Amino acid sequence: MAITAQEVNQLRQKTGAGMMDCKKALTEADGDFEKAIEILRKKGQKVSASRSDRETTEGSVFIETSNNRKEATLIALNCETDFVAKNEEFQGLGNDIVSIAAKEKPTSIEALSDLPLGGLTVKEKIVELIGKIGEKIEISAYEIVTGEQVIPYIHAGNKLGVLVSLKGVNGDDETEAGRNIAMQIAAMNPIAVDKEGVDDTVVKKEIEIGKEQALAEGKPENIVEKIALGKLNKFFKENTLLNQAFVKDNSLTVANYLDGIKKGLTVESFKRISIGG
């Protein structure tokens, strides 16, 4: 049957697919719009499969914070090019996904992908957009942080997102302090809040490295352990948030800065997600 330009345009408006793709889908579906949409989705699935080995080093982070500011959800939606990352539909999909994640609180990216969204699942919505733009798209990270007050921060360019849970706020608004800490995390990339949060395997590895360095420098074996522990303390100062030098005032540690804002104010937890790293 003949497919009119009006029908093609109507399908294009509904799906966002290209004119030629819409015409081919309608022709294959004998003018049946629902069948044509299904054909376009299948095309998206084929595009997704054919690009499964492509690297997705671009994209954006998206954050949604609860009204009481005691919870925040962060996702990273990756794609192949920065051009697509700035695309309106890509941004819209990212916002839709983080909203459904904040509402439903799935336990994993896989569970998030199976949630319903706009008559499809999140996974199918991603495949649908892949079919339109021809690039691989995937959710690379998903985190929820809760606490007395959770402060979100998205770095310039939307490539890096941080969530900080503050403890000891005592009902006050500590947004400024939380944002300063989030910027610290973005810049310095700590591995834990404090030394107690560092994995034992990392601690053992650092001690072993410290010993090997001391021996290589010709230090006596009876003091090698002490030297290694000294190096471990330096590692903690450089890599755990509360012990790091505060970037806005190097005369203070992060712990000192927070305690100066309010006695007992500290960080309970944080998450830092970056695109391509």
Side-chain angles (χ1 to χ4, degrees):
M1 64 178 290
I3 304 300
T4 67
Q6 185 179 358
E7 288 172 324
V8 172
N9 191 52
Q10 190 178 344
L11 182 61
R12 183 175 181 273
Q13 292 295 324
K14 190 170 183 179
T15 64
M19 293 288 283
M20 289 304 297
D21 287 333
C22 288
K23 185 175 181 180
K24 287 176 184 177
L26 279 167
T27 302
E28 188 177 336
D30 292 325
D32 186 315
F33 266 68
E34 292 307 314
K35 273 189 181 178
I37 290 170
E38 186 62 29
I39 287 166
L40 286 170
R41 285 188 187 139
K42 286 178 179 176
K43 177 181 180 292
Q45 290 172 344
K46 288 175 182 176
V47 170
S48 177
S50 69
R51 302 186 78 84
S52 60
D53 61 342
R54 301 292 291 266
E55 289 189 7
T56 53
T57 56
E58 296 292 340
S60 291
V61 294
F62 301 86
I63 293 175
E64 182 155 316
T65 307
S66 63
N67 291 333
N68 63 9
R69 303 174 72 195
K70 292 182 182 295
E71 182 176 280
T73 305
L74 182 154
I75 70 154
L77 190 63
N78 287 44
C79 56
E80 296 176 37
T81 65
D82 188 52
F83 178 77
V84 165
K86 293 173 181 174
N87 176 278
E88 189 175 333
E89 284 189 271
F90 180 90
Q91 288 291 316
L93 180 59
N95 284 315
D96 287 344
I97 293 172
V98 79
S99 290
I100 195 73
K103 181 182 177 183
E104 300 295 338
K105 300 175 181 53
T107 56
S108 65
I109 291 176
E110 291 72 23
L112 171 56
S113 298
D114 290 332
L115 289 175
L117 180 62
L120 301 171
T121 63
V122 168
K123 186 189 302 179
E124 288 168 340
K125 274 289 187 182
I126 290 173
V127 168
E128 185 178 60
L129 187 55
I130 290 171
K132 291 178 186 179
I133 66 173
E135 273 197 19
K136 183 179 177 182
I137 299 170
E138 61 184 351
I139 302 169
S140 63
Y142 158 58
E143 300 287 352
I144 293 182
V145 169
T146 60
E148 287 181 41
Q149 187 177 347
V150 180
I151 310 297
Y153 172 70
I154 295 181
H155 197 59
N158 297 333
K159 304 294 186 191
L160 191 157
V162 176
L163 301 178
V164 182
S165 173
L166 295 179
K167 184 167 65 174
V169 297
N170 296 328
D172 294 332
D173 184 357
E174 298 296 351
T175 299
E176 184 179 355
R179 185 173 171 81
N180 282 335
I181 299 308
M183 292 171 70
Q184 170 92 21
I185 293 165
M188 302 305 293
N189 195 15
I191 63 172
V193 173
D194 207 347
K195 60 183 182 180
E196 288 77 16
V198 180
D199 192 276
D200 282 344
T201 57
V202 174
V203 173
K204 288 175 183 175
K205 181 182 175 184
E206 290 302 316
I207 291 173
E208 203 56 42
I209 290 171
K211 286 180 179 178
E212 288 177 9
Q213 288 176 342
L215 288 170
E217 291 166 3
K219 304 296 183 184
E221 285 194 28
N222 63 328
I223 63 167
V224 161
E225 183 82 21
K226 186 177 180 181
I227 292 170
L229 291 175
K231 289 179 181 290
L232 179 64
N233 283 330
K234 184 183 178 187
F235 174 83
F236 286 146
K237 286 180 182 178
E238 292 174 350
N239 294 282
T240 59
L241 177 62
L242 294 177
N243 297 298
Q244 284 180 338
F246 182 45
V247 290
K248 288 193 170 185
D249 182 352
N250 286 338
S251 69
L252 301 173
T253 64
V254 170
N256 294 151
Y257 163 72
L258 288 170
D259 206 49
I261 297 294
K262 179 184 290 179
K263 202 71 178 170
L265 182 63
T266 189
V267 175
E268 183 174 11
S269 65
F270 71 85
K271 292 293 179 183
R272 178 188 186 276
I273 298 297
S274 65
I275 299 292

